[in-house]
Structures are given as C-alpha cells and as structure tokens.
Amino acid sequence: SFYFGYSRCTNDIRHRQSEILKRNFTSLCKTTKKRCQNIIVSGPLPTLHRGDEAFSRLSSLNSWLTSWCASNNFVFVNNWDCFWERPGLYRRDGLHLSWRGVLMLSDNI
C-alpha cells in the first residue's frame, strides 16, 4: 500500500498545478497497480482559513479522485465530509491535523 502525501497535494494546488498533480497521480497509480492489486486512495482533506481558491481546487481534486478511482477500480476513502467544517480536527493553523484529526484520518484509512 502507499499514501499519496497530503502536503504534496496542498503544495501542488497552491501552485496551481492541479493538472500536473492529476497526471502524476494517474501514472503513480497505474505503475503501483502492476505490483499491488489492493490499492486504497485516501482523498484530500479540506483546509480551514486557506482561502476560497485553495478550497475550490481541493474540492475539485476530491471530486475528480472520486470519479477517477471508481472508473479505474481503485478503492477511494472520501475524507472530505468527515473533516468539512470540523475545526476541532485541525491545529490552529487550519492545515495540520490535531491529535483528534489524526485519529479520525487513521480510522478512515
């Protein structure tokens, strides 16, 4: 199994590289699928207080991942709804998870 890093998604989104991120993700998943049949994709988490553009891009990425995973027979864990408007799951910076958020994410996965 592998975990496609959350900070990587956030950084690529922030730099407006959504299409590059999707292309890299697709390539990574197809390469990994050749070696491992049971791949679980854990979706991105919404951020708090990071602006409308970042939120919109992450939301779009989550929608794309949901669809892409279903079309390509990958298990997708949709974390979005569990973390949406739940500030107690984040540290004060609105980006990093609190201990409760870490527990929630590990339970989801």
Side-chain angles (χ1 to χ4, degrees), residues 26-66:
T26 300
S27 175
L28 177 64
C29 284
K30 288 183 178 182
T31 300
T32 305
K33 188 117 180 169
K34 293 175 186 175
R35 298 179 184 202
C36 178
Q37 294 301 310
N38 298 318
I39 299 173
I40 299 170
V41 177
S42 179
L45 307 175
T47 56
L48 299 175
H49 320 297
R50 292 285 175 188
D52 292 340
E53 183 178 1
F55 178 84
S56 176
R57 288 178 178 272
L58 280 171
S59 178
S60 293
L61 176 63
N62 190 65
S63 295
W64 178 81
L65 283 169
T66 302

Side-chain angles (χ1 to χ4, degrees), residues 2 14 21 24 32-33 44 47 54 57 63 66-68 70 74 79-81 85-87 89 94 103 107 109:
F2 71 94
R14 188 180 71 223
L21 176 64
N24 290 344
T32 305
K33 188 117 180 169
T47 56
R57 288 178 178 272
S63 295
T66 302
S67 175
W68 188 91
F74 284 85
N79 296 302
W80 197 265
D81 292 337
E85 293 191 354
R86 307 253 333 251
L89 299 177
L103 289 175
D107 283 348
I109 297 171

Side-chain angles (χ1 to χ4, degrees), residues 12-29:
D12 286 351
I13 293 295
R14 188 180 71 223
H15 294 295
R16 299 180 179 172
Q17 296 178 337
S18 300
E19 294 308 313
I20 294 170
L21 176 64
K22 290 176 188 177
R23 197 167 45 245
N24 290 344
F25 176 81
T26 300
S27 175
L28 177 64
C29 284

